[in-house]
Amino acid sequence: MTADVPQSTRPVTLEDVARVAGVSRATVSRVINGATTVDPALRQIVEEAIAATHYVPNRAARSLVTRRTDSIALVVSEQEQRSVATPFIGRMFTDPYFGRVVGGLLDVLRPAGVQMMLMLVDDEVSRGQLLSYLRQGHVDGVVLVSAHGADPLPQMITETRLPAVHAGRRAQLTGVTYVEVDQRAGVQLAADHLVGLGRRRIGTVTGPQDMPAAQERLDGFLGAMARHGIDDVACVEGDFTHAGGAAAMKKLLAGRPDLDGVFVASDLMALGALPVLAREGRRVPQDVAVVGFDDSNAALACDPPLTTVRQPVEEMSSEMARLLLRQINQPGLRPPSVIFHPALVVRESA
């Protein structure tokens, strides 16, 4: 197909595309606006004409017709005044989890022509600003990452009636779409592996117990160990940070010096915990076997490389994007939630 458009400085119009495609202006408009009633063969002809003429849609005019912004918000909500040294925004850009979430979302959003806005919320003022922004119609939907059980934002976003997908299940909310990994299946893999190595004096560095995912990992791990006949599991709470993992491991060793196996509830905490074991003269895995959770790049940065439970964060995030676009494109639809299966990745630490 060749573009029969006069060479000039004027923008290419819908009429130009329609003439090249041999269809009506209305058909071109329906294709550009994502109408599902256009015959696939006809849609392809129009799309080829758009490419040939280098037509650029007028996004402002299109939004008046579709009432869409072609943008979504990735909202990361953090607990107010959390007791860690690193500021919220610093943790946001150093924790490998968030980078994986962004990558997975963009894999789906960019080909769909949808922009993503990152919005960080950590107090009442920023929550109010966010809700005002959402209610003014600046985005078409929300992906919400909110880890803390007492966070009021998930309920507030639900009340806006915007299309939304949550990263993780919220027990107190019903009728919301979420994407989650099977936390209990993951920690069962960790427990089975440690016991299979012959370890019996086992401890765990947990995540913050105001976070549902951390609660699930701890409860699931303790239950799995009990099924193996091990009820005396030493537990120290961490905070899902590198420094927090180091502090928790030091405390765990002080209380249980005969430790021979540890489940650390995140790879980033394990990255902080392993040097503590080395400084205390504990060889990994000969003296203490260590298993993490996430399979992030932190697992490969560990020395030795970390055996860990893989949650497929990129795939999970891509699924969140697909579920959100389905809601946006089909108003009133509430897609089912999706639970991903974990896997154990065996490396040198256990």
Side-chain angles (χ1 to χ4, degrees):
M1 179 180 294
T2 59
D4 182 20
V5 180
Q7 297 299 312
S8 71
T9 58
R10 72 173 178 82
V12 178
T13 66
L14 285 179
E15 288 77 8
D16 294 328
V17 177
R19 184 170 61 255
V20 171
V23 300
S24 69
R25 181 187 186 281
T27 298
V28 175
S29 178
R30 289 202 301 276
V31 170
I32 290 173
N33 290 322
T36 59
T37 55
V38 180
D39 179 84
L42 194 59
R43 179 184 299 278
Q44 182 175 351
I45 291 172
V46 172
E47 289 174 347
E48 290 174 354
I50 290 171
T53 57
H54 305 290
Y55 174 72
V56 178
N58 184 327
R59 296 178 69 87
R62 181 173 180 264
S63 67
L64 290 174
V65 176
T66 64
R67 297 184 181 275
R68 294 183 189 171
T69 65
D70 288 332
S71 63
I72 66 102
L74 168 59
V75 178
V76 181
S77 180
E78 176 62 287
Q79 182 185 33
E80 297 179 45
Q81 299 178 343
R82 188 174 168 192
S83 58
V84 296
T86 308
F88 175 30
I89 193 167
R91 297 195 305 278
M92 170 71 194
F93 290 108
T94 57
D95 189 329
Y97 172 79
F98 293 109
R100 297 173 70 193
V101 168
V102 170
L105 291 171
L106 291 179
D107 282 346
V108 173
L109 297 175
R110 280 191 296 201
V114 176
Q115 303 299 312
M116 184 182 73
M117 301 187 63
L118 175 62
M119 310 191 77
L120 308 181
V121 178
D122 63 350
D123 58 23
E124 185 175 355
V125 172
S126 57
R127 272 198 299 272
Q129 291 170 340
L130 169 71
L131 292 168
S132 175
Y133 188 85
L134 297 180
R135 289 171 180 143
Q136 290 173 33
H138 292 293
V139 296
D140 300 323
V142 177
V143 170
L144 176 61
V145 179
S146 173
H148 296 273
D151 190 347
L153 190 59
Q155 178 64 45
M156 293 175 173
I157 287 180
T158 298
E159 291 169 358
T160 69
R161 300 189 180 277
L162 271 174
V165 178
H166 296 241
R169 181 172 61 90
R170 311 292 300 186
Q172 69 272 37
L173 291 180
T174 59
V176 301
T177 299
Y178 64 87
V179 174
E180 174 73 287
V181 71
D182 189 335
Q183 307 282 358
R184 289 179 179 264
V187 294
Q188 181 75 56
L189 292 172
D192 291 349
H193 187 69
L194 287 169
V195 172
L197 293 173
R199 309 305 164 112
R200 305 293 294 181
R201 301 181 301 278
I202 294 173
T204 180
V205 174
T206 79
Q209 290 304 292
D210 63 337
M211 300 173 70
Q215 293 169 1
E216 283 272 309
R217 290 178 197 178
L218 176 58
D219 291 346
F221 185 72
L222 294 179
M225 297 307 299
R227 287 189 288 276
H228 284 294
I230 300 175
D231 296 314
D232 182 21
V233 177
C235 303
V236 174
E237 184 173 342
D239 61 9
F240 282 150
T241 69
H242 180 280
M249 180 56 75
K250 187 174 182 179
K251 185 175 180 181
L252 189 63
L253 280 175
R256 189 70 184 270
D258 63 342
L259 203 68
D260 68 359
V262 182
F263 168 60
V264 184
S266 82
D267 293 350
L268 192 58
M269 287 197 298
L271 184 60
L274 285 172
V276 173
L277 288 168
R279 286 195 297 271
E280 294 295 325
R282 309 301 174 86
R283 298 169 302 163
V284 176
Q286 294 92 333
D287 301 324
V288 182
V290 180
V291 178
F293 198 107
D294 284 331
D295 194 29
S296 65
N297 56 17
L300 295 176
C302 288
D303 183 18
L306 187 68
T307 292
T308 185
V309 176
R310 181 176 189 269
Q311 59 169 336
V313 174
E314 291 85 356
E315 294 93 329
M316 292 164 64
S317 301
S318 291
E319 185 64 15
M320 285 192 287
R322 284 189 286 268
L323 292 171
L324 185 61
L325 293 180
R326 285 180 61 191
Q327 291 185 55
I328 292 169
N329 292 327
Q330 302 177 57
L333 173 71
R334 183 67 67 189
S337 298
V338 177
I339 299 176
F340 280 74
H341 296 292
L344 184 70
V345 181
V346 178
R347 297 193 179 96
E348 297 174 27
S349 69

